Amino acid sequence: MPRVTYIEPDGRAVTLEVASGRSLMSAAMEAGLEGIEAQCGGNMACATCHCYVQPPWLEQLPPPTEDERLMLQNVAAEWRKNSRLSCQLIMRPELDGITVQFPERQS
Ligand code: FES
C-alpha cells in the first residue's frame, strides 16, 4: 500500500499506509493525528484539513479546483504556495512517499 508521511505541528513525522482512492485527510483522522481537525468531514466547508505539500510532490498532484482554491482563502494558519486541503488529496500508487506538513493551527 502506498505510504504518506505526515509531519505534525511539533515536527514529529508519522508514516501511514493509505489505500489508493482514500483521502489523505481521512487516513490522518483515523490515525488520530493531532495536526488536523477536518470539522466538515471532507465536504470542503471548513478548511481545517489544511496541509503544506512538501517538494517535490506538489507537482505530482492535480491542481486545486476553484472551490478548493476559494476555501484555501479561509485557512487559519499562513497560506503558502504549497497549501492544499488534505480532504481533496486522493491517494494513488504514484504518490507513494508523499509528505505533507500540518500547520501550527487549523482553527
Ligand atoms: Fe473540511 Fe477538508 S475536511 S475542508
Side-chain angles (χ1 to χ4, degrees):
M1 219 185 292
R3 293 172 164 227
V4 180
T5 296
Y6 300 88
I7 301 172
E8 291 274 45
D10 65 4
R12 200 165 37 99
V14 179
T15 300
L16 301 175
E17 292 190 334
V18 179
S20 290
R22 187 171 196 195
S23 75
L24 271 57
M25 173 280 280
S26 142
M29 288 299 287
E30 186 180 276
L33 299 191
E34 291 171 8
I36 185 168
E37 294 179 14
Q39 292 168 1
C40 78
N43 291 313
M44 222 175 9
C46 73
T48 61
C49 63
H50 179 203
C51 67
Y52 302 118
V53 177
Q54 301 300 287
W57 298 102
L58 194 61
E59 295 74 35
Q60 312 290 325
L61 297 169
T65 62
E66 186 58 27
D67 285 346
E68 182 182 351
R69 228 186 294 271
L70 288 171
M71 191 50 66
L72 279 166
Q73 295 175 3
N74 298 316
V75 293
E78 177 192 12
W79 176 89
R80 299 178 191 161
K81 283 186 181 152
N82 59 344
S83 287
R84 294 295 302 262
L85 297 179
S86 58
C87 68
Q88 301 304 305
L89 304 181
I90 306 302
M91 198 54 182
R92 55 179 207 271
E94 308 81 61
L95 295 179
D96 183 30
I98 188 172
T99 301
V100 298
Q101 178 184 4
F102 289 130
E104 72 279 6
R105 65 195 179 100
Q106 293 284 7
S107 58

